[in-house]
Each structure stands twice: as structure tokens, then as C-alpha cells.
Amino acid sequence: MSAAAAPAETSLPHLNRPGRVTQARVALSEWTKLRSLRSTRWALFVTLLLTIGIGILACTVFAARWPHLSFSDRQHFKPLRVSLAGVNLAQLSIGVLGVLVISGEYTTGMIRSTFAAVPKRLPVLWAKAAVFAAVTFAVSLPAVLIVFFAGQSILSSQHIQIAFSHPGVTRAVVGAALFLTVMGIFGLGIGAIVRHTAGGIVTLVAILFVLPPILGLLPSSWSNAINPYLPSSAANALWTITPEAHTLAPWAGFALFCGYAAAALAIAAVLLVRPDT
């Protein structure tokens, strides 16, 4: 009996030996943490509510008021922009969630356990970014598709809808989901740099909503030259088919916005590997 028990005993250390740390395992760990957080569920729910709810509400209001609108208002009406009106607000909720994804761990001290399990640190940042980008896009794409078709169905009662096959519409609708995805990564990068929830959110809001109005106080020649290169202006070019004056081309603007997000992650990576952090 002792001979039979020996193989089982010798196999136990092998079975209990921890697995090697790989990028895939770190990503799985980050996915587990992300989906277990209550803030994730609430922020994604708010993003869906803002994207779909605001868009449908805006389309309903315009459809009801269309017979009473002036000729000038009708000339400036943009059915795609109205149905995607909620994206302007959803960018804030998804950006804030991006900040929370990493700043929350610094606030609670859980980041120490994370780095104890993954001493090289950078795989944690890449895993957080990849997992969060996948989740954001998986939520955003159905949301913008739902609000587009629902909104255009409402507008069709006044025959002011726009078809999905109209030039630029497919790019703009899918672009809205891409915009929200990169906005989340941008927020995550800011959160990784600041490492404080309140500070990260304030920084994000300042860049997106405070900086453009301040820029408007400058002489128009300066404002028109700088405004297209702001993160919010560059990104907005992708999800519109009627660009305003002094804006970049859709894909050029989106590429610049991706550059901002990549730069935020790069700065966070440099700070992360410093021995004193």
C-alpha cells in the first residue's frame, strides 16, 4: 500500500506548481477583474443608456417638431448626427471607466498584488488595454447600430431619414464605436499616468471639454489652426459625414486620436518600469 501511495505523493508538487506567467494568462486575469467590478457594469450600462437613449430621444423630438421647424433649421438638420447624439455623452462614461480600470487598483492598493504576480509590470498594462478595448468595442458597436436603425426608423415618419448605404454612413456608424473604444484606452492611459481616480477624471474632462472652449478665446487664426489637432476634434471627424470647416479628414483625424491614446500608454509604460514607482 505504501508503494501505491508513493507515486500519488510525488505527483502532488507537480500538480500544485504555479504556471508560467504569460501574456494570455495576464489577460485572462484582467478579464476576471474587469467583469467582477461593479463599476464596470454600471459604466457600461450608462454608456449603453446614453448612446441608445439620447439618440432615440433626439430623433423622436426632431420627428415630432419637424413640421414646425424653420427653413433654416431644416437646412442644417443632420439625421446621422442626431441619431448618434448620445455618443457625445457616452465618451465621458467610457473614458471615466478607462481611468477607473487602473486607478482603482492604485487607490485600493490591489496594484501591489498585481505586480507581485506579474513583476515585469508591462504585461499588466498591455493586458488591461487589450481586454478593455475588446469589451468596449463589443458593447459600443451593437449600441451604435441599434440607435442608428431605431433612430432612422423614427425619422422615416417625416421622410428625413438617411440610409445605411449612403456614402460615408457605414464608416461613421462603425467609426463611432471605434471612437468610443479608443476613448476608453485614452482614459486608461491617463489613469495609468496620474494613478489617482479623481485626478485622472479631472484630467480627462479638462482635455475633452475644457480645453476646446479655452482655445476658442484665442484669435480665430490660431484657433482654426490648432483646433483640428485637439483629441476631441480629431476623433469626431471619423463619425460624421458632414465635416465642419477646419477639420481633418476622417481617417487622418482618427489616426491622430489613436496616436494620443498610444502616447498616453507609452508614457504610462515608461513610468511603470521606473524602479522608484
Side-chain angles (χ1 to χ4, degrees), residues 125-208:
L125 182 63
W126 308 144
K128 284 183 181 293
V131 170
F132 186 56
V135 170
T136 303
F137 187 74
V139 171
S140 301
L141 184 59
V144 295
L145 289 173
I146 290 171
V147 75
F148 173 79
F149 287 109
Q152 299 312 307
S153 175
I154 294 170
L155 295 176
S156 66
S157 63
Q158 297 293 341
H159 307 289
I160 53 176
Q161 77 278 13
I162 191 170
F164 193 69
S165 58
H166 188 279
V169 170
T170 303
R171 180 259 302 161
V173 173
V174 177
L178 292 173
F179 161 69
L180 290 176
T181 300
V182 180
M183 180 61 70
I185 299 304
F186 186 50
L188 190 150
I190 291 175
I193 294 170
V194 179
R195 302 183 182 182
H196 188 273
T197 299
I201 293 174
V202 168
T203 302
L204 180 69
V205 171
I207 293 173
L208 297 180

Side-chain angles (χ1 to χ4, degrees), residues 74-82 84 162 166-173 233 236-250:
R74 293 189 181 194
Q75 288 292 102
H76 291 90
F77 177 73
K78 301 173 183 177
L80 177 64
R81 197 70 176 179
V82 171
L84 296 180
I162 191 170
H166 188 279
V169 170
T170 303
R171 180 259 302 161
V173 173
S233 300
N236 287 343
L238 182 63
W239 53 287
T240 180
I241 59 174
T242 53
E244 300 176 357
H246 309 292
T247 57
L248 298 176

Side-chain angles (χ1 to χ4, degrees), residues 1-74:
M1 184 171 179
S2 59
E9 292 176 358
T10 56
S11 65
L12 287 177
H14 173 72
L15 293 174
N16 294 330
R17 186 182 305 162
R20 186 168 59 91
V21 176
T22 64
Q23 188 67 66
R25 285 174 172 170
V26 176
L28 180 60
S29 173
E30 292 302 324
W31 161 242
T32 302
K33 286 191 288 185
L34 184 65
R35 64 187 175 87
S36 63
L37 292 173
R38 186 180 304 174
S39 59
T40 301
R41 297 191 292 271
W42 276 107
L44 292 177
F45 173 75
V46 170
T47 300
L48 284 171
L49 182 64
L50 291 173
T51 303
I52 299 175
I54 298 296
I56 290 178
L57 178 62
C59 290
T60 302
V61 170
F62 269 96
R65 297 186 62 245
W66 184 257
H68 309 289
L69 294 180
S70 65
F71 176 77
S72 176
D73 289 336
R74 293 189 181 194

